[in-house]
Amino acid sequence: MSKVLQQPWTCLRCIRRQRYSRRHLATAAAAATAPHPTTSYVKNHNLARTTHDDRDLRRVFDSKPFWREFSKSKTGFSKQNVGLFENKYLTSPKGFEEYTRVTLVKCRRIVAKVLEISSVEGYKSIVQDLDRLSDLLCRIIDLADFVRSTHPDAAFQNAANEAHALMFEYMNTLNTTTGLNDQLGKALANSEVTSSWTEEEKTVAYLLRKDFSQSAIDLPRVKREKFVELSSTISALGSRFVDEMRPARMSLAIESNRLKGMNPMFLKQLQNRRGHVILPIVGLAAQNAIRYVEDESTRKEIYIASRTAADSQVQVLEALLRHRAELAKLSGFSSYSRMTLIDKMAQSPEAVNKFLSALSTDNAPRMQEELKRMLALKYPSSSAESRATPSPHTINAWDREYYRQQLFAKPTPRSRKPDFLSAYFSLGTVMQGLSRLFSRLYGVRFVPREPAPGETWNPDVRRLDVIDEADGHIAVVYCDLFARDGKNPNPAHFTLRCSRLISGSEIAGGLSSSSHLHNLTASQLANDGMATSAPVDSSGSVYQLPTIALICDFPSPPPSNNTSQPPTLLPLPSLLTLFHEMGHAIHSILGRTRLQNVSGTRCATDFAELPSVLMERFATDPSVLALFARHWETDAPLPYEMVAAGLEGERRSDASDTETQVLLAAVDQAYHSELVLRDGAAFDSTAVWHALSARWGSVPEAPGTKWQGFFGHLVGYGGSYYAYLFDRAIAAKVWESVFRGGREGQAVERENGERFKREVLRWGGSRNGWRCVGGVLGEEGRALEEGGERAMQEVGRWGVGGGGR
């Protein structure tokens, strides 16, 4: 029941913080929204059915004056503070204290109930009881995690921190409650009980059992104490590795004449009194130097310095890897990777390496072609300059970015501004396009709604309600998309509240003891005043609605309606990022399960990126762009050849990007293999790094570098870094097999969308990922449904198909 660390994936084009992970008793989703008590929520949308005019959706993002007017209360609601996310406890920071107290009372009652079970009927409901316990923990932990990292008010941040700490303390208590594990074990051992469970309940039961096991609850007391000690040390080392990350040398003093190729005005800002440029090793300056400096020996010096971590950093990493290996051994596994992969689609390190090997083989011809083109630039025939080059017949590690920049940079025609493409992608038109796309594929759309007092954490946050053509209101999305001081700039998707069925008996139970919620209905009371669906059965059962927050860092639109000033315009990388994050969101929205442990993105880590990577394909498809892409000023439609030209350079450079990611995934596997325990104190991460660079890379790494000290994703994705590449390969196959590569308008065909929804999205994590892949691919995917090494190898053979674009 340990908290799952959440770390960003690294994409070479942008940094993404994906907030997803399958969490169980110890982990969480939290906070949702509720309708105003005096209104019928679905009724409010009777004016906005499938034929509704979605101009408002565009204007709430493109026009600040329109948003100010729109966000004023128009329907006679009181000005009373409804609470953050309409959580009735969170009208002030102090509300976290009451919310936590009431939640702990509910948790303890469920724990007592589970421990007292002795009948077959009682054991039949144990999965639902434990899932509800998990949900209660989630309501606090993920909500508090989001608030403390995003809310601008220090008082809210501090209150969220305290609530977060209290719930973790309680989870530590649950971690030592062996009775919960024992009771679940009894239920699993009783065939009469398990035969009564749905497939979803069986999935959750086994996931919970695995989580208990990985928390060392089955170990003797002494070993359990050792497990806790190792876990604590690993957590501390992981934090040190990320927080103290630094190179061996922080800067280089270089004569300015050696930096020819860089912007002189930029270099002037870095010059000291002696005329030397003091070049920082970390950041944009060093990256640009490697990309633009013409002198090869200078590039080499900067490259090696920028790829060499401090010795202390490497020592922390190696200590982290050794402690992880010890933890795995204590838990009965031969390696940390083997322990980590047990519940993933890959299942074993051998399967991961089969996938990486097949993918590398598929990528090799394109990589060799890229290297040939670089060599032609470095060593043009009969060139005096090439004969003076230190190593003319080889592309070295410090050459790659320099020649790639020349190879793939395309000059912009004089008639066009550098950002000409973004003029067709105002943020409002993109959001409008996403709604139209989801309406065509899945029958759901976005409808903007004015937030109530106290509901959001910043006036710039837009609320969208997700309306299904059959089921009405099914989710809430809060869009915090504009930059502001103090805000984390990394794009992210947060699932703050997962889907879960609240049974009629649970609603009737009325466990809340909070006096200030006396004005709520029974179903609202069961959900802390937050949003629920209409009743779904005769007993009055309802679903709690998924609540999602999308975070981006786009420039704000102009403050006035001056038509000469453009709204927020998205360059192509930002467009792809927004579509990517919306892929996670639609998974959370449509992954409607009865149990929250497997709702939406709570699936295997190596399956969670599939919907988001697939969405990047839609972002540049001509039939999708035809839904929305129009010039912000002239309303002229986007000429698709402009997008095609913009994508050409990215596709050419994709082979090198893929090779780099394959190498990092292989390093991750080696660092979490049996090798660590076998070598013990003699384990040398630098030697492993260079050996694998030679094995998997087409260009040898520079001697002496220690880049592994900068591999921050080893903390959050130890043993599973391959997952993003894996999902890129599956997404490429689904795009071609299901959506026909977008040809003849197939990207917006309802039949294709329903197929992806039916076989993938609606299951969340309640269905094995291989069955989802096999189901959506049809006959050509049936052989994959059992998974295993052959299935992993086959996915590798598919390749990543142009980088997910």
Side-chain angles (χ1 to χ4, degrees), residues 248 300-311 314 397-398 671 684-691 693 700-710:
K300 178 179 179 180
E301 181 181 356
I302 297 169
Y303 177 88
I304 291 175
S306 68
R307 304 273 291 186
T308 305
D311 287 341
V314 174
W398 50 88
Y671 281 177
D684 185 346
S685 65
T686 302
V688 173
W689 162 249
H690 282 276
S693 294
E701 177 62 306
T705 60
K706 299 178 181 179
W707 184 86
Q708 75 275 17
F710 302 121

Side-chain angles (χ1 to χ4, degrees), residues 455-474:
E455 183 179 352
T456 64
W457 56 98
N458 186 276
D460 272 345
V461 177
R462 274 63 163 167
R463 171 174 171 161
L464 302 178
D465 289 338
V466 185
I467 308 302
D468 184 274
E469 61 188 26
D471 297 327
H473 184 212
I474 61 170

Side-chain angles (χ1 to χ4, degrees), residues 353-378:
N353 287 320
K354 291 261 188 184
F355 162 72
L356 295 175
S357 182
L359 182 57
S360 179
T361 300
D362 173 82
N363 190 58
R366 289 182 291 277
M367 188 66 231
Q368 290 306 310
E369 179 61 29
E370 185 176 315
L371 288 174
K372 286 180 183 178
R373 297 175 68 195
M374 290 184 194
L375 278 169
L377 286 174
K378 183 175 181 179

Side-chain angles (χ1 to χ4, degrees), residues 27-83:
T27 53
T33 60
H36 297 288
T38 59
T39 65
S40 169
Y41 193 73
V42 174
K43 184 177 179 180
N44 286 344
H45 291 293
N46 285 344
L47 298 177
R49 298 188 185 278
T50 54
T51 58
H52 87 294
D53 187 337
D54 61 2
R55 286 178 297 179
D56 283 358
L57 180 58
R58 176 176 178 175
R59 289 187 288 179
V60 297
F61 288 98
D62 279 354
S63 171
K64 267 196 171 181
F66 181 84
W67 170 246
R68 282 195 296 267
E69 284 300 310
F70 182 89
S71 59
K72 292 177 181 177
S73 180
K74 301 176 182 178
T75 51
F77 297 139
S78 73
K79 297 298 183 181
Q80 183 180 0
N81 186 329
V82 301

Side-chain angles (χ1 to χ4, degrees), residues 470-723:
D471 297 327
H473 184 212
I474 61 170
V476 176
V477 181
Y478 289 98
C479 298
D480 186 358
L481 304 182
F482 300 115
R484 60 178 177 271
D485 290 343
K487 179 183 174 184
N488 191 313
N490 292 326
H493 157 274
F494 295 82
T495 301
L496 303 171
R497 166 60 57 90
C498 283
S499 168
R500 184 178 73 91
L501 184 71
I502 305 176
S503 68
S505 59
E506 181 182 334
I507 293 171
L511 291 177
S512 175
S513 60
S514 176
S515 59
H516 69 273
L517 301 186
H518 63 276
N519 62 327
L520 299 182
T521 65
S523 60
Q524 289 173 328
L525 193 63
N527 201 32
D528 304 325
M530 301 180 196
T532 59
S533 70
V536 296
D537 58 30
S538 58
S539 71
S541 301
V542 297
Y543 278 94
Q544 58 190 39
L545 300 187
T547 297
I548 296 147
L550 290 183
I551 308 295
C552 286
D553 198 49
F554 305 140
S556 292
S560 69
N561 274 328
N562 186 339
T563 55
S564 66
Q565 291 182 293
T568 299
L569 302 177
L570 303 185
L572 185 59
S574 295
L575 176 74
L576 293 167
T577 295
L578 185 54
F579 267 68
H580 181 102
E581 302 303 337
M582 273 297 182
H584 287 303
I586 200 65
H587 198 185
S588 295
I589 291 164
L590 298 180
R592 189 178 191 179
T593 55
R594 297 168 68 92
L595 302 177
Q596 70 91 30
N597 269 289
V598 289
S599 171
T601 54
R602 296 186 179 219
C603 54
T605 304
D606 53 2
F607 191 65
E609 288 287 337
L610 172 58
S612 56
V613 174
L614 180 65
M615 273 298 292
E616 294 180 29
R617 297 279 184 171
F618 290 95
T620 55
D621 177 80
S623 57
V624 174
L625 291 172
L627 298 176
F628 70 92
R630 308 186 75 83
H631 196 281
W632 72 272
E633 194 170 25
T634 67
D635 205 40
L638 169 70
Y640 185 72
E641 58 269 18
M642 293 169 61
V643 179
L647 290 174
E648 185 61 25
E650 287 199 21
R651 285 174 176 154
R652 286 186 200 163
S653 65
D654 208 65
S656 187
D657 293 351
T658 299
E659 182 177 90
T660 297
Q661 294 298 306
V662 168
L663 167 61
L664 296 182
V667 169
D668 171 48
Q669 287 300 305
Y671 281 177
H672 294 97
S673 69
E674 290 83 354
L675 181 68
V676 181
L677 278 180
R678 188 195 69 193
D679 291 355
F683 174 72
D684 185 346
S685 65
T686 302
V688 173
W689 162 249
H690 282 276
L692 290 174
S693 294
R695 158 70 176 84
W696 295 95
S698 300
V699 177
E701 177 62 306
T705 60
K706 299 178 181 179
W707 184 86
Q708 75 275 17
F710 302 121
F711 196 178
H713 286 78
L714 289 172
V715 174
Y717 294 99
S720 59
Y721 190 81
Y722 71 92

Side-chain angles (χ1 to χ4, degrees), residues 119-414:
S119 67
V120 170
E121 290 305 311
Y123 284 117
K124 287 180 179 179
S125 67
I126 192 172
V127 174
Q128 294 183 30
D129 291 333
L130 292 176
D131 185 74
R132 186 182 176 200
L133 176 61
S134 174
D135 184 57
L136 288 170
L137 296 170
C138 292
R139 292 182 184 188
I140 300 288
I141 291 175
D142 277 359
L143 176 62
D145 190 40
F146 176 79
V147 170
R148 66 182 184 168
S149 65
T150 307
H151 204 291
D153 187 335
F156 261 109
Q157 292 175 16
N158 293 334
N161 262 323
E162 291 178 10
H164 197 273
L166 282 171
M167 294 309 290
F168 259 99
E169 182 180 353
Y170 179 66
M171 283 195 298
N172 286 334
T173 301
L174 291 183
N175 284 339
T176 62
T177 308
T178 56
L180 293 176
N181 181 54
D182 294 341
Q183 290 288 68
L184 181 58
K186 291 177 182 177
L188 284 165
N190 189 317
S191 59
E192 184 180 352
V193 171
T194 56
S195 64
S196 71
W197 288 345
T198 64
E199 288 302 311
E200 189 174 308
E201 286 174 314
K202 291 176 183 177
T203 298
V204 171
Y206 284 110
L207 290 174
L208 290 172
R209 181 69 164 167
K210 180 196 69 67
D211 281 357
F212 276 123
S213 177
Q214 289 195 342
S215 296
I217 206 164
D218 291 324
L219 295 177
R221 182 180 60 82
V222 174
K223 288 189 176 181
R224 192 160 63 241
E225 289 173 355
K226 179 65 174 177
F227 183 96
V228 172
E229 178 188 337
L230 284 170
S231 298
S232 177
T233 302
I234 289 168
S235 178
L237 288 169
S239 296
R240 277 188 62 192
F241 183 68
V242 172
D243 296 341
E244 300 175 12
M245 195 174 289
R246 64 183 182 86
R249 302 173 66 181
M250 295 302 296
S251 63
L252 293 175
I254 304 174
E255 297 89 344
S256 58
N257 62 356
R258 294 179 61 198
L259 294 169
K260 183 182 177 182
M262 291 188 73
N263 187 324
M265 297 301 293
F266 177 72
L267 293 178
K268 191 173 182 180
Q269 300 173 26
L270 301 176
Q271 271 187 335
N272 65 11
R273 293 180 180 178
R274 297 180 180 180
H276 286 80
V277 172
I278 307 303
L279 189 77
I281 289 305
V282 177
L284 190 61
Q287 294 171 23
N288 281 340
I290 295 167
R291 193 171 292 140
Y292 296 109
V293 167
E294 296 174 8
D295 180 65
E296 181 176 345
S297 62
T298 303
R299 288 201 312 273
K300 178 179 179 180
E301 181 181 356
I302 297 169
Y303 177 88
I304 291 175
S306 68
R307 304 273 291 186
T308 305
D311 287 341
S312 60
Q313 180 74 3
V314 174
Q315 290 165 8
V316 171
L317 171 62
E318 291 176 352
L320 172 65
L321 298 177
R322 282 192 291 269
H323 280 80
R324 281 180 168 174
E326 290 178 30
L327 185 77
K329 183 179 180 182
L330 184 66
S331 302
F333 295 91
S334 61
S335 71
Y336 187 82
S337 178
R338 206 168 291 281
M339 182 176 76
T340 297
L341 294 172
I342 191 171
D343 62 342
K344 308 297 188 295
M345 288 178 69
Q347 294 187 307
S348 73
E350 292 80 7
V352 173
N353 287 320
K354 291 261 188 184
F355 162 72
L356 295 175
S357 182
L359 182 57
S360 179
T361 300
D362 173 82
N363 190 58
R366 289 182 291 277
M367 188 66 231
Q368 290 306 310
E369 179 61 29
E370 185 176 315
L371 288 174
K372 286 180 183 178
R373 297 175 68 195
M374 290 184 194
L375 278 169
L377 286 174
K378 183 175 181 179
Y379 189 43
S381 58
S382 303
S383 167
E385 179 184 352
S386 69
R387 289 192 292 273
T389 303
S391 47
H393 297 287
T394 304
I395 292 296
N396 296 299
W398 50 88
D399 292 329
R400 274 173 64 154
E401 289 305 311
Y402 178 71
Y403 289 109
R404 284 182 72 198
Q405 190 278 328
Q406 296 180 39
L407 198 59
F408 304 127
K410 276 190 170 280
T412 303
R414 291 185 179 181

